[in-house]
Amino acid sequence: MAGETGFIKYLTYRFGKIILLVFAITIAFWVYNKIESKKSTQGKSQTQEIKDKILQSNIIYTKHALCRMECRNISKEDILEVLRNGELNHSKTTSNDSQCPTYAIEAKTKSYDKVLAIFAICDDVSKLVTTYPVGVKDPDSCENCEPEK
């Protein structure tokens, strides 16, 4: 553009750098969000895969689990609700057990704010090992429940 003053050239030059900087930051945020959303999708698909495997197998309630369910007022419907709506609790899961890996799944139920159910997946059978409401003290009647061997 003919007749531009030095000031106009300076502004055009600076404005171009600002646009380039804003564009680069926008692209960086977009890439970061894509990576993070992919990570969370993978975590959810792993949880869903485990829950589906449990739901599609024959669920066996161990003697210990039934005793714990009774003394803690947790129903089989609550357990199914945990399986349908729950999330995997990685800190209480031991998936590296080669025979029967255990998975801890927790969710809000009608009875409690959070119920944790621990399942062992063995071949074509899933066993409910134990279950408990998180942060709730056990009643005295739970002392009679002996752990499975």
Side-chain angles (χ1 to χ4, degrees):
M1 299 195 172
E4 284 187 357
T5 65
F7 180 71
I8 298 296
K9 285 181 183 178
Y10 174 78
L11 273 179
T12 306
Y13 174 74
R14 281 292 200 206
F15 188 66
K17 279 189 170 183
I18 290 172
I19 288 176
L20 184 60
L21 180 65
V22 168
F23 181 72
I25 290 171
T26 303
I27 294 295
F29 276 121
W30 180 77
V31 168
Y32 175 78
N33 285 335
K34 282 289 189 186
I35 290 169
E36 287 301 311
S37 77
K38 191 170 189 174
K39 282 182 187 175
S40 69
T41 303
Q42 287 172 343
K44 286 181 184 177
S45 65
Q46 178 193 19
T47 298
Q48 192 58 49
E49 185 179 308
I50 292 165
K51 292 185 332 184
D52 288 345
K53 190 171 186 176
I54 294 168
L55 284 166
Q56 292 167 1
S57 67
N58 184 22
I59 299 175
I60 295 174
Y61 293 82
T62 63
K63 182 180 174 186
H64 177 72
L66 289 170
C67 184
R68 293 294 182 168
M69 288 169 64
E70 183 180 337
C71 75
R72 293 169 173 156
N73 280 336
I74 297 173
S75 68
K76 287 184 178 181
E77 290 78 25
D78 289 331
I79 298 302
L80 291 175
E81 193 173 339
V82 167
L83 278 171
R84 281 193 300 270
N85 304 321
E87 291 298 322
L88 193 63
N89 181 323
H90 293 280
S91 66
K92 299 202 186 307
T93 292
T94 55
S95 59
N96 56 355
D97 186 342
S98 61
Q99 285 191 315
C100 296
T102 58
Y103 298 94
I105 301 172
E106 61 187 19
K108 180 176 176 46
T109 65
K110 292 176 184 140
S111 308
Y112 295 102
D113 283 337
K114 191 181 284 187
V115 170
L116 187 116
I118 299 180
F119 292 91
I121 300 177
C122 307
D123 298 324
D124 60 342
V125 165
S126 296
K127 297 178 185 178
L128 178 66
V129 177
T130 192
T131 185
Y132 58 90
V134 177
V136 176
K137 188 178 181 301
D138 274 342
D140 293 337
S141 61
C142 284
E143 291 176 9
N144 300 329
C145 298
E146 299 208 12
E148 299 282 318
K149 293 176 174 76

